[in-house]
Amino acid sequence: METVLITGASRGIGLELTKQLLALDYKVIATYRNAPSNDQLSLKDHGDLTLVELEVTNESSIEALRESLEGQQIDVLINNAGIIGPDEQDRDNVSAPNWLETFSVNTIAPLLVSRAIIPLMQNAANPRIVTISSQMGALNRDAVGMYAYRSSKAAVNKVMQVMALELKEQGITVCPIHPGWVKTDMGGDEADITAQESAAGIIKLTQGLTLDQSGTFFTWEGDVHPW
């Protein structure tokens, strides 16, 4: 069975991906920041789960992760770690430091983590890198505000598109995915779908991804999302 590495798996979509993948008999490496959540610890006795500390914005932490996984094969990387950004994101109040922090987590980290893990994917039969993005970063959508979050997701979409082109010769599929508006700490209680629904859709899509689809922006339901 395949081995899946999930960043930002302490709660929300990342935690639900962990639970559902374990139930499907995948081997899962789930990362946490600082300390595992209680929900993660409740799964620690599962023989196919490995919990690993990772600060996605820290290159030393990323390198430590890579070293800890040396000799293992990673079939799927799910770049799930992300933040909504600062409370103040309107044109007049968004601050440069907060904006940069949002970019660091949402845009730069997925590339840095992917770069570290790619060498561990070389022997996989169908290696895939999936990054949880958002339709809020799609340039075809008219919406206002949330400058930091929207721009960070638009940028990570482009990062993944470029990576898809560069990694095609290595046989690695790369796709950003819109997870839906999800009822999590980030999405809020009024969101459209549950974390369980989003994770199930993401897993189904990821299972069927092929190299021909690399560089495509998908929704959690498996539909192609306009950029």
Side-chain angles (χ1 to χ4, degrees), residues 1-4 21 25-28 73-76 124-128 206-207:
M1 182 53 76
E2 292 184 320
T3 298
V4 182
L21 286 165
D25 294 327
Y26 284 82
K27 292 183 178 180
V28 178
Q73 177 180 296
I74 304 299
D75 298 279
V76 181
N126 181 24
R128 285 145 284 161
T206 302
Q207 287 174 323

Side-chain angles (χ1 to χ4, degrees), residues 61-138:
S61 181
I62 295 171
E63 177 59 20
L65 170 69
R66 187 198 64 76
E67 291 177 355
S68 74
L69 300 176
E70 195 69 46
Q72 296 191 52
Q73 177 180 296
I74 304 299
D75 298 279
V76 181
L77 167 62
I78 302 180
N79 288 306
N80 171 73
I83 58 174
I84 193 67
D87 292 336
E88 298 290 346
Q89 292 195 44
D90 60 275
R91 184 187 65 248
D92 295 328
N93 294 299
V94 64
S95 71
N98 288 338
W99 199 337
L100 288 169
E101 180 189 16
T102 308
F103 254 79
S104 182
V105 177
N106 291 353
T107 308
I108 299 172
L111 173 61
L112 298 183
V113 174
S114 298
R115 183 171 68 188
I117 299 303
I118 285 167
L120 306 179
M121 307 181 86
Q122 298 303 317
N123 294 323
N126 181 24
R128 285 145 284 161
I129 297 174
V130 167
T131 295
I132 305 304
S133 183
S134 172
Q135 67 179 13
M136 290 176 69

